Amino acid sequence: MDSIVRSCAYSPDGTAFVVGLESGDIHVYSTLNWEMLQTLNGHQDETRSVVCSTDGNLVVSGSWDKTVRVWIMESGICQHILTDHTDMVHCVAVSPHQHQVASCSSDKTIRLWDLATGNCHQILFGHEDAVDCVVYSPKGDWLASGSDDSTVRLWDAATGECSRILDSHRDAVLGIAFSPQGDQVASASYDKTIRLWDVKSGNCRHVLEGHNAEVHNVVYSPKGDQIFSASNDVTVRAWDVQSGTCRHTMTGHTGNVFCVAYSPNVDMIASGSWDKTVRLWDVSVGGTRHISKGHSRTVPNVKCSPNGDLVASCCMNNTIRLWDVETGACLRTLSGHSDGVIGLAFSPQGREIVSGGGDKTVRLWDIETGICQHILTGHNDYVCDIAYSPQGDQVASAGEDMVVRLWNAITREYCGTLSGHKKGVRSVAYSPDGNLIATGSKDCTVRLWNVGTMACTNILIGHDDWVHDVEFAPQGRQLASVSAAGTVRLWNVTTGECCLTLTGHNHAVRRVAYSPSGDLLASGSEDKTLKLWDVASGQCKVEIQNFPGTVYGIAWTPSPDANFLITGCQDGSVLKWEIIEEDGQCHVRLCWGATSGSLTVSGALIQDVRGLSSLNKQLLKQRSAVGEPVNQFHEANKTLITMTSK
């Protein structure tokens, strides 16, 4: 992000996420697809607190500019500006019944406002120093507040009377939360501890110790069995409420963590930090399993293993990486090529990977050990693409030297050469039955070859520029090819006729891939977009825009229940997407992402989305970004907004 994250909150139904920044801006996102909904501008200083109304229609914010603002979420209009505080506003809260707003300030007061009119109808005095935090009980009958005077105070929300002072902290109380049942209050302090208080008796039940620096914020899980805390020690911690023990320490932030929020409908928490990032954590594992570092340079290709549990990505930094499909964790890095790796493929049995690249070699790797078992030489220029035969007995390598070389995958011996293209061969693919090979070339043609005879059986003419990629449909009756002219063509394999020409990309299309069922086709382009096409009609169903570079790699993961898509990008990122088809419409969700930098929700626009899903559905990882918002995603008449990367 381009500003420090000071506050964050989910809407009560979990469909919206709000971020308050040190710059004063507030951004609102849809958690369905992390669409940017609104940018709320108006505060003249840090936005220290944000909260949503119980119906999800309003956002209330408090700022160091001494004001409280009430915003209409859908329109972004500021409905009220509440200006009675005489010093910085640190925190705001909305009553469960939505008739009242509470705000606290360095002026040592808590003010209660009528949400409908914006009028201040009560001022609560008692704290002897700045009031840092305030929260309503679940029923709205109590208020709890924390102060620089080291105390927690409980107030009757109706009368404004202070009913109890809890004074065991040794320093300022920075964050406070009621349990979902309303019988307990958790307070976070500058003294590095969290204290759990019994509301009825005022007794301290537990002192949670473990943070090495000030604790800024606390939140209960919806069930009330866990507490999550954000600290200046750059960690988020998960605590067991019953025992007071620390369950997880979540590391990844590189600066003070100021805020933490629990999603109401999935087991996921969000944290915001001085490092200008928002991170989303998987509650069940402490979240660290989804924080992956991506390639440092362009990813020309990605492939999925036959059983769908691994993703392989190759990079122009001479390496190949293996990723866990479910978690996004990098399992292994394969090194050995002396130049950029451009093509790769899994063996049908899933035990080997074959790769080719700028060093003119073809290499075969053992997946389990990561060891290069064989190096095949013979190409006179760099190897552009690699394919395994469906039976696993043959490997085809396409080269800039205008030929395709065939290799025996068992003996590793050279079998023959497919010659005929007039320029470099950019892509190669086997038909599902293994009887045909398709190749695409810089000579603007697609060629079909008989594997047994190695003879060219058809030349498909129609492209006006280099053919970058070819792929057979799962049924084998159709072939897709993409061109530097920006088009995608679908061919009848038997007749060689072009069935459909798909237009819409503004620059060269670099990669194409059929879904496992064959009804969808994905294309990636130099225009920084990925398009999903309906194969039968040729209509574009979904467009994902503003990738931080050319989309070079596309691979579908085999799954009987859902469509998952892996993309590799020019910036070195590898992303996993879930494609959801409902009522004839396509929806896209990011599941995880790995980039060359931190995986963050960036720019306060959840810019340059890197990674989004719930536990196995919706987890977001993103990286830092700057710039003005641009359209990222089109689904019917909807638009996602994102930003360009640094």
Side-chain angles (χ1 to χ4, degrees):
M1 290 188 181
D2 54 1
S3 184
I4 293 170
V5 179
R6 285 294 183 180
S7 52
C8 62
Y10 282 93
S11 64
D13 62 1
T15 61
F17 185 69
V18 185
V19 177
L21 298 179
E22 190 172 85
S23 65
D25 289 341
I26 302 163
H27 297 292
V28 184
Y29 313 88
S30 166
T31 59
L32 174 64
N33 45 31
W34 294 94
E35 173 185 353
M36 170 63 186
L37 300 177
Q38 289 292 343
T39 301
L40 312 180
N41 303 112
H43 282 300
Q44 304 303 308
D45 208 332
E46 298 181 20
T47 300
R48 300 290 290 198
S49 180
V50 290
V51 65
C52 295
S53 60
T54 52
D55 62 6
N57 293 327
L58 300 176
V59 173
V60 180
S61 59
S63 170
W64 274 12
D65 66 6
K66 307 178 187 179
T67 71
V68 175
R69 290 180 181 246
V70 180
W71 312 81
I72 300 172
M73 187 182 295
E74 184 175 359
S75 66
I77 295 172
C78 182
Q79 192 174 54
H80 298 297
I81 303 176
L82 316 180
T83 59
D84 289 359
H85 280 294
T86 60
D87 210 333
M88 298 178 292
V89 177
H90 295 290
C91 188
V92 292
V94 177
S95 66
H97 306 299
Q98 201 168 308
H99 65 280
Q100 188 172 269
V101 170
S103 60
C104 62
S105 168
S106 286
D107 63 13
K108 306 178 186 180
T109 69
I110 300 164
R111 291 179 180 261
L112 306 184
W113 312 81
D114 185 288
L115 184 56
T117 66
N119 295 328
C120 179
H121 59 78
Q122 198 162 15
I123 304 174
L124 310 185
F125 296 98
H127 280 295
E128 298 174 0
D129 208 333
V131 188
D132 296 301
C133 50
V134 64
V135 65
Y136 282 93
S137 65
K139 294 182 180 179
D141 50 348
W142 293 98
L143 276 168
S145 60
S147 168
D148 280 1
D149 64 11
S150 307
T151 69
V152 173
R153 291 182 179 243
L154 299 180
W155 311 81
D156 186 301
T159 66
E161 293 182 3
C162 180
S163 62
R164 199 174 299 279
I165 301 175
L166 314 177
D167 58 359
S168 296
H169 279 295
R170 300 184 303 276
D171 211 326
V173 180
L174 304 176
I176 200 160
F178 270 98
S179 67
Q181 298 77 21
D183 60 342
Q184 191 178 84
V185 167
S187 57
S189 172
Y190 205 83
D191 65 11
K192 308 177 187 178
T193 70
I194 300 116
R195 293 179 181 260
L196 308 185
W197 309 87
D198 184 276
V199 171
K200 187 175 182 180
S201 67
N203 294 330
C204 181
R205 294 180 179 177
H206 289 294
V207 179
L208 312 184
E209 296 179 302
H211 281 296
N212 299 318
E214 301 87 343
V215 187
H216 280 281
N217 196 220
V218 287
V219 63
Y220 280 87
S221 65
K223 294 180 181 178
D225 59 337
Q226 291 190 85
I227 286 174
F228 297 85
S229 55
S231 170
N232 276 4
D233 66 7
V234 307
T235 70
V236 176
R237 288 181 180 246
W239 309 83
D240 183 88
V241 170
Q242 188 66 31
S243 66
T245 57
C246 181
R247 289 183 174 180
H248 298 296
T249 299
M250 305 176 196
T251 59
H253 282 295
T254 58
N256 300 347
V257 188
F258 294 120
C259 56
V260 62
Y262 202 112
S263 171
N265 51 18
V266 293
D267 286 331
M268 185 168 65
I269 60 167
S271 58
S273 168
W274 181 87
D275 65 10
K276 303 182 182 180
T277 71
V278 171
R279 288 177 181 256
L280 292 161
W281 309 87
D282 179 341
V283 170
S284 64
V285 297
T288 54
R289 68 175 183 170
H290 288 277
I291 303 298
S292 302
K293 186 176 178 63
H295 288 288
S296 59
R297 293 181 64 189
T298 296
V299 177
N301 215 332
V302 291
K303 298 291 183 181
C304 288
S305 63
N307 63 3
D309 61 348
L310 292 176
V311 171
S313 59
C314 59
C315 183
M316 296 307 291
N317 69 356
N318 313 347
T319 66
I320 300 162
R321 292 193 182 208
L322 299 181
W323 309 86
D324 185 292
V325 166
E326 186 64 27
T327 68
C330 182
L331 304 177
R332 186 169 284 113
T333 300
L334 312 182
S335 300
H337 279 288
S338 59
D339 205 337
V341 187
I342 304 170
L344 79 164
F346 278 93
S347 67
Q349 298 78 22
R351 293 191 292 269
E352 283 189 339
I353 287 176
V354 61
S355 61
D359 61 7
K360 308 177 188 178
T361 69
V362 175
R363 293 176 183 249
L364 293 102
W365 310 81
D366 182 277
I367 289 176
E368 186 174 351
T369 64
I371 294 173
C372 179
Q373 297 179 315
H374 293 278
I375 302 175
L376 310 179
T377 60
H379 280 288
N380 298 318
D381 209 331
Y382 63 83
V383 179
C384 302
D385 199 15
I386 294 281
Y388 252 105
S389 67
Q391 296 79 17
D393 59 345
Q394 192 175 79
V395 169
S397 56
E400 186 65 20
D401 56 6
M402 301 185 291
V403 301
V404 174
R405 297 178 76 88
L406 304 183
W407 313 85
N408 187 302
I410 308 301
T411 66
R412 319 304 193 187
E413 294 177 352
Y414 166 71
C415 299
T417 299
L418 308 183
S419 301
H421 282 295
K422 306 302 182 184
K423 293 184 179 180
V425 186
R426 304 288 294 177
S427 57
V428 61
Y430 282 89
S431 62
D433 61 10
N435 293 327
L436 294 175
I437 286 177
T439 56
S441 169
K442 291 166 70 173
D443 65 11
C444 309
T445 70
V446 175
R447 290 181 179 243
L448 298 179
W449 310 80
N450 182 287
V451 172
T453 65
M454 291 187 282
C456 178
T457 60
N458 213 335
I459 302 175
L460 312 183
I461 299 174
H463 283 295
D464 299 323
D465 210 330
W466 295 3
V467 179
H468 283 297
D469 195 24
V470 292
E471 177 160 322
F472 282 94
Q475 297 78 19
R477 296 187 295 271
Q478 191 179 80
L479 180 77
S481 60
V482 297
S483 164
T487 61
V488 180
R489 288 180 179 260
L490 307 184
W491 308 84
N492 184 301
V493 171
T494 303
T495 66
E497 295 179 355
C498 181
C499 310
L500 281 173
T501 300
L502 313 180
T503 59
H505 283 294
N506 298 321
H507 293 285
V509 186
R510 300 302 296 258
R511 195 67 63 187
V512 66
Y514 283 92
S515 64
S517 64
D519 58 344
L520 291 176
L521 188 72
S523 59
S525 170
E526 290 181 10
D527 63 11
K528 304 179 183 180
T529 72
L530 181 141
K531 292 178 183 285
L532 293 180
W533 308 86
D534 180 85
V535 171
S537 67
Q539 293 182 341
C540 181
K541 301 191 75 171
V542 170
E543 180 183 48
I544 306 172
Q545 293 187 343
N546 199 44
F547 280 88
T550 300
V551 181
Y552 283 110
I554 301 174
W556 295 83
T557 65
S559 171
D561 303 320
N563 283 327
F564 294 97
L565 190 67
I566 309 296
T567 57
C569 191
Q570 185 178 7
D571 73 331
S573 62
V574 178
L575 308 175
K576 178 184 177 183
W577 308 79
E578 182 179 10
I579 312 301
I580 304 167
E581 294 185 87
E582 296 175 336
D583 301 324
Q585 298 293 319
C586 268
H587 306 272
V588 179
R589 293 178 184 172
L590 272 169
C591 301
W592 55 256
T595 72
S596 56
S598 297
L599 305 181
T600 62
V601 176
S602 24
L605 278 178
I606 302 205
Q607 308 155 355
D608 206 314
V609 174
R610 287 287 184 256
L612 161 69
S613 68
S614 61
L615 179 58
N616 301 331
K617 291 180 182 178
Q618 194 176 29
L619 185 71
L620 181 66
K621 297 207 169 45
Q622 301 178 309
R623 60 176 294 182
S624 188
V626 294
E628 293 298 319
V630 296
N631 292 341
Q632 187 218 18
F633 168 79
H634 292 283
E635 172 202 332
N637 293 323
K638 297 180 182 178
T639 303
L640 285 179
I641 305 299
T642 188
M643 307 281 282
T644 55
S645 299
K646 286 181 179 178

